[in-house]
Structure formats: C-alpha cells, structure tokens
Amino acid sequence: MFGGMKGIAWVTLLHSGLKYIGILIILGVALHMTGGVSPMIKEMPHFYWTWDGNIGASTIFAWMIGTIGSIFCTQFVIQAIASTKSAASAKRATWVAFFFCMPIAIAIALIGVAAKYLHPDIKSLYALPVFLQDMSPWLAGIVTTSLVASIFVSVSTVALAIASLVVKDFYVPYRNPTPEREFRMTRWLSLLIGFLPLILVLFVPEVLKLSFFTRAIRLSISVVADYCLLPAVL
C-alpha cells in the first residue's frame, strides 16, 4: 500500500493517463471531422499557424509570466517538488513534467483551431466540449470521465495537505493522541475534506469565484517575491 505523497503520485499518474486518453480521442475526432490539418492550413488565416498568432510577442510573454507564477505559487505544486529526495530529483521531475505537458498543449491547440474551423462563431470556452456531441455515447463518456479525472490531480494533493495540517498543527498538540487515533482522525478528516467542497459548490456557488480570487492574490505575491529575490540571484 502507498500513502502520503507516494500515493498521490500514483493517483496523479492514473488521472494524467486518463486525461491523455481523453484529449487524444477529442483530437482524433476533430481531425477526422476537418479532414486533417491540410484543409485548415489552406482555408484559415495564416496567423493561426505562426508562433505568435495575431496577439504579439508581448502578450505571449505576459501570459507566460502569469502562468509560471500561478503554477509555482500553487500549494500542491510546491508540495510535490518539496517531497522529492534532492534538488537534482526536483529538477529532473520538473523537466519530465514539462515534456509530459508539451503534447497535451499541442493537441489542445489543434483542437481549438479545428473547432474554429468547423464552427467559426463558437466561443473559445466551448471549443473542446463541442466535439462531444459528435461522438458515440461510449466515447463521450470516456472523454468526460478523463476531463473530470484531471481535476482530482490537484484535489487529492490539497486534501492531503489540509488533513495533515489540521491533524499535526491542531489535533496532535491539543489532544496528544496515540498513533492509531491520529491515523483514524486523519482518515475522517480526509473524508470530510473530500465531501465538503461538493456541498459548498452546490449550495454556495460563489465559492468558485473566491478560488480564482485567491489564485490572483498568490500570483501577485509571487511576482513581488520574485522581484525582491532577483537582485540576490544576480
């Protein structure tokens, strides 16, 4: 049996594999409907196939800064990096994650262009799920499951962190439990932490906006911290 971050790692591999399968299925359906990439290249504006599109390098650079900041100021990313055995392992894991994400990024970009090609007036939010309506129920079910599974990559690590913090910082100092009782309390807290967000989303949907707000705050703090640390690094 695996627990802690090792268990999270195995769960993440499983969910990431499912996400890969779902994205590749959507890509296959999209390219089948468009007749491949060649028709899109011939009929769509050329900037769809350039590195900066029609938005410019400055916008892409700003997006990169924002994305990098939001990733590395996120708790579960820091937790995963900090749980590696050494700095070399953390660096190697980061490179593996980078190369793992590249095919997904290219596939999603192609899916978006295919959606624009097939549905010129479509909003970008619906570029990926629009292909579900053209799939068989079985394929649509697999794809939907894979997209939902990707959410649990972050949920599982956050749930582990919250349960560990509550038990170690509050329950253990005040109750001084035996290891068995501490383990039992961790399990009950994990169940509560897993179901409580579902209740909040159903009855307090505004909590989702709070989630995006807190991410923006973390990004702002990380940018300020990076700016302050830059002279020391240089």
Side-chain angles (χ1 to χ4, degrees):
M1 295 181 64
F2 297 101
M5 288 304 299
K6 184 175 289 187
I8 294 297
W10 284 107
V11 170
T12 300
L13 284 174
L14 174 62
H15 291 162
S16 299
L18 289 174
K19 179 168 63 176
Y20 247 91
I21 293 172
I23 294 297
L24 291 178
I25 290 174
I26 297 175
L27 178 62
V29 171
L31 293 179
H32 175 73
M33 294 176 64
T34 60
V37 178
S38 298
M40 294 190 289
I41 295 177
K42 292 179 181 178
E43 299 184 25
M44 300 188 73
H46 76 282
F47 61 79
Y48 277 94
W49 311 102
T50 59
W51 72 272
D52 60 345
N54 65 341
I55 57 177
S58 59
T59 302
I60 293 177
F61 181 74
W63 285 350
M64 288 177 59
I65 295 297
T67 302
I68 293 171
S70 63
I71 290 174
F72 286 100
C73 69
T74 304
Q75 174 269 332
F76 64 86
V77 175
I78 298 174
Q79 184 180 4
I81 294 175
S83 64
T84 54
K85 295 180 179 180
S86 63
S89 298
K91 185 181 295 185
R92 185 167 59 252
T94 303
W95 278 109
V96 170
F98 167 75
F99 287 112
F100 186 83
C101 291
M102 282 300 294
I104 287 286
I106 296 172
I108 291 176
L110 283 174
I111 291 170
V113 175
K116 187 68 175 179
Y117 174 77
L118 296 170
H119 309 279
D121 298 325
I122 194 173
K123 294 182 179 180
S124 58
L125 180 64
Y126 305 110
L128 191 146
V130 72
F131 292 104
L132 293 176
Q133 63 188 8
D134 299 305
M135 298 181 187
S136 66
W138 282 100
L139 274 183
I142 293 173
V143 170
T144 303
T145 302
S146 69
L147 297 179
V148 173
S150 64
I151 300 173
F152 288 95
V153 172
S154 58
V155 170
S156 55
T157 52
V158 172
L160 174 66
I162 295 174
S164 300
L165 287 173
V166 172
V167 170
K168 293 295 184 181
D169 292 351
F170 296 97
Y171 181 70
V172 172
Y174 289 101
R175 300 302 297 269
N176 194 24
T178 62
E180 292 77 13
R181 292 187 63 184
E182 179 182 344
F183 182 66
R184 193 181 306 117
M185 177 58 68
T186 303
R187 282 186 165 182
W188 281 110
L189 273 176
S190 299
L191 286 174
L192 176 63
I193 293 166
F195 283 102
L196 185 60
L198 298 177
I199 299 173
L200 291 175
V201 168
L202 289 174
F203 297 101
V204 192
E206 295 298 319
V207 73
L208 292 175
K209 295 182 180 179
L210 180 62
S211 174
F212 290 110
F213 176 69
T214 56
R215 172 169 290 190
I217 292 178
R218 292 199 306 269
L219 174 58
S220 302
I221 294 174
S222 67
V223 170
V224 173
D226 290 341
Y227 180 79
C228 294
L229 292 174
L230 186 61
V233 175
L234 297 177

